Amino acid sequence: MSSLSENSPYEVFFFFFFFKELITFVNHGEDYNILTQNKSSLESPLHLVSSNISLDCGRKPEHPKKIHTNMGSRKRPSEGNYEKEKDRCIQLFDQWSEADQVEFVEHLISRMCHYQHGHINSYLKPMLQRDFITALPAQGLDHIAENILSFLDARSLCAAELVCKEWQRVISEGMLWKKLIERMVRTDPLWKGLSEREKYLFKNRTAEVPPNSYYHSLYPKIIQDIETIEANWRCGRHNLQRIQCRSENSKGVYCLQYDDEKIISGLRDNSIKVWDKQTLECLRVLTGHTGSVLCLQYDDRVIVTGSSDSTVRVWDVNSGEVLNTLIHHNEAVLHLRFCNGLMVTCSKDRSIAVWDMASPTDISLRRVLVGHRAAVNVVDFDDKYIVSASGDRTIKVWSTSTCEFVRTLNGHKRGIACLQYRDRLVVSGSSDNTIRLWDIECGACLRVLEGHEELVRCIRFDNKRIVSGAYDGKIKVWDLQAALDPRAPASTLCLRTLVEHSGRVFRLQFDEFQIISSSHDDTILIWDFLNVSSIGQTEGRSPSRTYTYISR
């Protein structure tokens, strides 16, 4: 291949003359519509599709002169020997190597002005586009095209189906709507909760409906159901079920925990009662404590309870047999938490005990944490921190691994009755009638929530909401994200106040669909935001869609 320096001065002159004419032509050519005459096709997604698409981007075009022909087809009066000189320049250009051609064009473009660059860019842009979704299956790489499109959200997936028949085929055969739904189930707690409820989320598909079409139409139905649930939370619409605990002596339900099958409660009359969550019947009563059962937690193996008799008892969750009794605290055990072989208990005796749980029968005391100046009412922990709250108005943070003291969170004006800790956020409730949100890493109070009229006794939060219960008998639902936004007005933070208990609210737990609470009035209430009665109904549940989750 010859280079520019190897050509005669005459040839070089013709080259520069040609490109000078080209620049003038771009600036003043009257037939610019050659770039826009197919404007309608360029605005359509179908303009991405080209019969000459290749995954080999380094290969030279099969018809390189086609580009020059388009440029030369502009209709304007020719000056001098332009046509002959242009053809000669093109012949010389074609003799060069690709590297020489690129270098020369770079030099040429560098001599143009910004306005000319814009015209060149408009001309090149359609030529550089590649419809890789269409090209990949042609190379036997359907799975890659499907994988790329599987990252789209619902709105983008709808748009992609309209690009062309090939894109629609890739989406349909790849079952991408089904995969989108499954991804939402894996990543969103509300979708996951719906999928775990039998006969709710995914309806059995009939054979007449193509799979992709079925899941495409199912997605907006699920979205509609989710919006209905969220609206029920905001508006306080719910179905209410009530369990009368019928305590024989002292009345009151101090603590509870539930799952899809059962509710386990700790009562003031020293007993632990297990309830069937569907029928609301009492399945079993566990006795052994000689004082009120103030706190409990269970997993798939054991129930661990703490009592005003100063002991911690471990029970077999299936048989109800007592497996272990821990005697350490000098006064009532007010709260406890266990997870991954570690248990933390706290007491009216102002201490916190950290235990190693090798097995239900092999539990040993690791460390006693001392620092609070009043009863320690509640503890929570993760792999990094143990957090405790006390009647001394403080929250203390300890290292989980070393059990060393880290910092104190100050702000409440009276004793603290409850808290929950997760990630960097601590939410606490106090007998000063307020709820505070804290950043555990820096100790800063992020927000104070006011609204309860008496001591805030129990509190829980998830990614969306804070739910609190107080001695005023009320349960309040708060907008967590708004509470974390310092710009949000205080008047917008409380979404709903629920009033059904006739006594102090002692404990509550909630998920995406329900709140379950217990009270001094000796009842357990189930506030169901999923199966809400139709307007005008006072009893029963409205019919819900019948779904079965299908996983392939």
Side-chain angles (χ1 to χ4, degrees):
M1 295 289 179
S2 60
S3 66
L4 183 62
S5 60
E6 295 172 347
N7 290 288
S8 67
Y10 181 78
E11 292 172 337
V12 174
F13 167 78
F14 273 114
F15 252 105
F16 281 106
F17 178 82
F18 164 68
F19 284 113
K20 178 178 179 296
E21 288 296 310
L22 174 62
I23 293 170
T24 303
F25 176 61
V26 169
N27 282 329
H28 304 98
E30 296 178 356
D31 194 28
Y32 174 70
N33 66 326
I34 189 68
L35 296 178
T36 58
Q37 62 185 355
N38 295 324
K39 183 176 180 182
S40 61
S41 64
L42 289 176
E43 291 177 346
S44 167
L46 294 177
H47 81 279
L48 295 173
V49 182
S50 171
S51 60
N52 294 324
I53 287 171
S54 172
L55 295 180
D56 184 3
C57 296
R59 189 179 64 183
K60 295 183 68 174
E62 296 179 6
H63 303 287
K65 293 186 180 180
K66 183 177 181 181
I67 299 172
H68 306 289
T69 302
N70 288 340
M71 293 292 287
S73 64
R74 302 171 189 266
K75 299 184 182 303
R76 68 169 183 82
S78 298
E79 297 180 6
N81 297 322
Y82 169 76
E83 291 296 335
K84 294 181 180 179
E85 293 167 352
K86 178 195 71 172
D87 292 340
R88 175 59 178 157
C89 290
I90 290 174
Q91 290 175 7
L92 291 173
F93 186 82
D94 288 343
Q95 294 174 10
W96 294 349
S97 67
E98 286 188 358
D100 290 340
Q101 291 173 345
V102 169
E103 181 181 355
F104 183 80
V105 172
E106 287 176 351
H107 283 299
L108 179 68
I109 292 175
S110 69
R111 300 173 68 87
M112 296 180 180
C113 67
H114 184 72
Y115 174 75
Q116 294 167 323
H117 292 158
H119 283 281
I120 297 298
N121 180 65
S122 298
Y123 181 73
L124 290 176
K125 196 170 183 179
M127 299 168 58
L128 296 175
Q129 291 171 334
R130 292 292 183 271
D131 179 7
F132 52 88
I133 297 301
T134 299
L136 285 167
Q139 303 289 330
L141 300 173
D142 302 64
H143 63 287
I144 297 179
E146 292 172 6
N147 191 45
I148 292 170
L149 294 180
S150 70
F151 289 94
L152 297 179
D153 58 20
R155 184 181 297 273
S156 302
L157 199 57
C158 280
E161 284 187 309
L162 301 177
V163 170
C164 63
K165 290 182 178 180
E166 183 62 20
W167 283 46
Q168 200 280 333
R169 183 194 66 79
V170 170
I171 293 170
S172 178
E173 294 184 2
M175 297 286 287
L176 297 191
W177 281 103
K178 179 176 183 289
K179 291 178 180 178
L180 174 61
I181 292 174
E182 291 174 341
R183 186 171 83 234
M184 296 300 296
V185 169
R186 290 194 304 271
T187 58
D188 187 283
L190 184 50
W191 285 71
K192 184 175 186 292
L194 286 173
S195 71
E196 291 172 348
R197 275 154 174 77
E198 186 179 2
K199 295 183 179 180
Y200 185 78
L201 186 54
F202 299 124
K203 190 184 297 182
N204 286 322
R205 182 177 61 86
T206 60
E208 294 78 16
V209 181
N212 189 66
S213 300
Y214 166 73
Y215 289 110
H216 190 173
S217 62
L218 177 61
Y219 188 92
K221 294 177 182 177
I222 299 172
I223 293 295
Q224 183 179 4
D225 287 344
I226 289 174
E227 291 175 350
T228 299
I229 294 168
E230 294 295 331
N232 290 341
W233 276 95
R234 289 193 302 271
C235 301
R237 291 192 294 264
H238 62 274
N239 273 339
L240 189 69
Q241 294 177 289
R242 189 184 306 266
I243 299 175
Q244 296 286 353
C245 293
R246 305 184 189 282
S247 301
E248 295 183 0
N249 302 313
S250 302
K251 295 186 180 296
V253 185
Y254 280 129
C255 53
L256 63 82
Q257 184 182 338
Y258 72 88
D259 56 40
D260 290 339
E261 299 175 353
K262 60 184 176 297
I263 302 171
I264 301 182
S265 59
L267 281 73
R268 191 179 179 189
D269 67 2
N270 309 348
S271 69
I272 301 154
K273 290 186 177 180
V274 183
W275 309 86
D276 185 296
K277 192 166 180 294
Q278 303 305 316
T279 66
L280 308 184
E281 295 178 353
C282 184
L283 302 176
R284 183 181 296 117
V285 179
L286 310 182
T287 58
H289 280 296
T290 57
S292 300
V293 180
L294 304 178
C295 53
L296 68 81
Q297 183 184 343
Y298 71 85
D299 60 14
D300 56 355
R301 296 191 303 162
V302 297
I303 308 170
V304 182
T305 57
S307 168
S308 59
D309 64 11
S310 306
T311 68
V312 174
R313 289 180 180 254
V314 183
W315 315 73
D316 185 288
V317 73
N318 296 311
S319 68
E321 176 188 359
V322 178
L323 303 176
N324 204 342
T325 301
L326 306 178
I327 302 174
H328 164 75
H329 289 290
N330 298 321
E331 295 189 64
V333 179
L334 300 179
H335 200 253
L336 63 85
R337 289 280 296 150
F338 71 87
C339 183
N340 296 330
L342 184 69
M343 180 169 67
V344 181
T345 60
C346 62
S347 170
K348 192 177 178 181
D349 64 12
R350 308 181 184 183
S351 73
I352 302 161
V354 182
W355 309 78
D356 289 310
M357 299 180 68
S359 71
T361 57
D362 183 7
I363 302 175
S364 58
L365 182 64
R366 179 196 293 185
R367 187 82 174 264
V368 177
L369 310 181
V370 179
H372 283 292
R373 293 176 286 106
V376 184
N377 294 317
V378 59
V379 289
D380 203 352
F381 73 92
D382 64 9
D383 292 338
K384 189 172 185 180
Y385 294 126
I386 298 170
V387 186
S388 58
S390 167
D392 64 9
R393 309 179 185 182
T394 68
I395 298 170
K396 291 190 179 294
V397 182
W398 319 75
S399 169
T400 301
S401 57
T402 66
C403 294
E404 297 298 324
F405 171 75
V406 177
R407 65 178 58 89
T408 299
L409 311 182
N410 290 297
H412 279 295
K413 296 178 174 59
R414 300 186 67 179
I416 302 166
C418 56
L419 67 73
Q420 182 185 350
Y421 157 55
R422 191 179 68 189
D423 300 326
R424 292 184 60 141
L425 184 63
V426 175
V427 181
S428 58
S430 166
S431 56
D432 63 12
N433 304 348
T434 68
I435 298 164
R436 286 181 180 254
L437 283 66
W438 312 81
D439 184 327
I440 196 171
E441 295 294 348
C442 65
C445 180
L446 306 175
R447 173 76 80 163
V448 179
L449 305 179
E450 298 179 319
H452 281 294
E453 299 165 7
E454 295 186 47
L455 178 150
V456 182
R457 180 66 174 80
C458 50
I459 199 154
R460 303 297 295 172
F461 70 88
D462 62 8
N463 294 328
K464 299 177 183 177
R465 307 176 185 89
I466 302 169
V467 182
S468 59
Y471 277 6
D472 57 13
K474 298 175 182 178
I475 294 173
K476 289 184 177 288
V477 181
W478 312 79
D479 186 331
L480 174 59
Q481 297 305 317
L484 292 172
D485 183 354
R487 300 167 297 180
S491 60
T492 65
L493 303 182
C494 184
L495 301 175
R496 187 60 50 178
T497 300
L498 307 174
V499 183
E500 286 291 343
H501 282 295
S502 59
R504 297 172 171 178
V505 181
F506 284 144
R507 196 61 53 102
L508 63 81
Q509 183 182 344
F510 78 98
D511 56 39
E512 291 83 5
F513 312 106
Q514 62 197 327
I515 301 171
I516 299 185
S517 59
S518 65
S519 168
H520 189 266
D521 62 15
D522 212 38
T523 66
I524 297 171
L525 298 185
I526 303 173
W527 314 72
D528 185 356
F529 299 93
L530 174 60
N531 301 297
V532 177
S533 298
S534 302
I535 297 175
Q537 289 181 329
T538 58
E539 296 180 356
R541 297 186 177 188
S542 59
S544 60
R545 293 192 178 96
T546 301
Y547 295 106
T548 302
Y549 181 56
I550 305 168
S551 181
R552 294 179 182 174

